[in-house]
Amino acid sequence: MTGPTSSPPAEPAPEAATPEPAVPAQPGAPAQPAAPPGVPAGGYAVPQQAHPGYPHPGYAPPPGYPRPVYLQPPPLAPNGQPLADFFSRLGAYLIDALIMGAIGTAFAIPLLIWWVYAFVTEVNTLQTSADGTVELDGSEFTSLIWGYLAIFGALLIVNLIVSYLYLVEFTWRSGQTIGKKVVKLKIVPVDPATERTRGMLAKRWLVEHGAALVPGFSYLDGLWQLWDKPLQQCLHDKAARTVVVKIG
């Protein structure tokens, strides 16, 4: 005779999830939306940024990975335009020097031809002694020296005139020489409310060419912008109250 069949013990019922205590709403505050399933009430905490200044919040670069480098903005002139750098100004200077040198040479060649012709003529009129040597008296030698000095003085005056016309008269209206147009630079007053004048460009010219009369001063004038802050001016810029800016 078979006994009564015993049933397996009943499994305990799963405990019901304890609901999060509701946070009482403040009077007048808007109702908070219910959190989605699996998200605790109040939401997750936003992770703190591991590396302050890193572009992605909460992201830390792996060890040994270089940190991003942020480029510094270029220095600006008082009118808001970027200042010209040393090598751009040097390139413009070399182009202008070649142009002015070519113009000066065009005037120098006829003068040199005239002096050589006068020298050869003078030599042909010298007396020859019995032993075949050339006798050169003091007056003839003096005339040759004065002729050379006259040529040198004329070339110096021509170069000064050419440089003044090119760097002052040709430049003051637009603020650009041909060299500056090529490398896209421009001369502007330090004070944005001031207009560029012929007098400003004349002061630049006087200081720049006056520096050539003092040994080594022209190099100091050109290199001054490397350590001048904040406007990166040469000495002739400071004298004229101008700066050189980029326009392209």
Side-chain angles (χ1 to χ4, degrees), residues 68-173:
V69 178
Y70 300 98
L71 298 178
Q72 294 294 330
L76 302 179
N79 65 357
Q81 292 178 293
L83 292 169
D85 60 90
F86 172 77
F87 292 103
S88 296
R89 295 190 64 172
L90 178 62
Y93 172 81
L94 294 177
I95 294 173
D96 292 333
L98 289 174
I99 293 173
M100 289 187 291
I103 297 174
T105 302
F107 285 95
I109 289 177
L111 294 176
L112 291 174
I113 291 175
W114 172 81
W115 185 81
V116 171
Y117 174 79
F119 177 81
V120 172
T121 302
E122 192 69 29
V123 170
N124 290 334
T125 59
L126 295 177
Q127 298 179 354
T128 303
S129 62
D131 59 0
T133 60
V134 176
E135 296 179 356
L136 182 65
D137 58 22
S139 62
E140 293 167 341
F141 179 77
T142 301
S143 65
L144 291 176
I145 294 299
W146 278 110
Y148 174 78
L149 293 177
I151 293 291
F152 180 80
L155 292 179
L156 179 61
I157 293 174
V158 167
N159 287 331
L160 287 175
I161 293 174
V162 169
S163 65
Y164 175 83
L165 294 176
Y166 183 79
L167 297 176
V168 179
E169 298 298 330
F170 176 76
T171 305
W172 75 270
R173 292 182 179 85

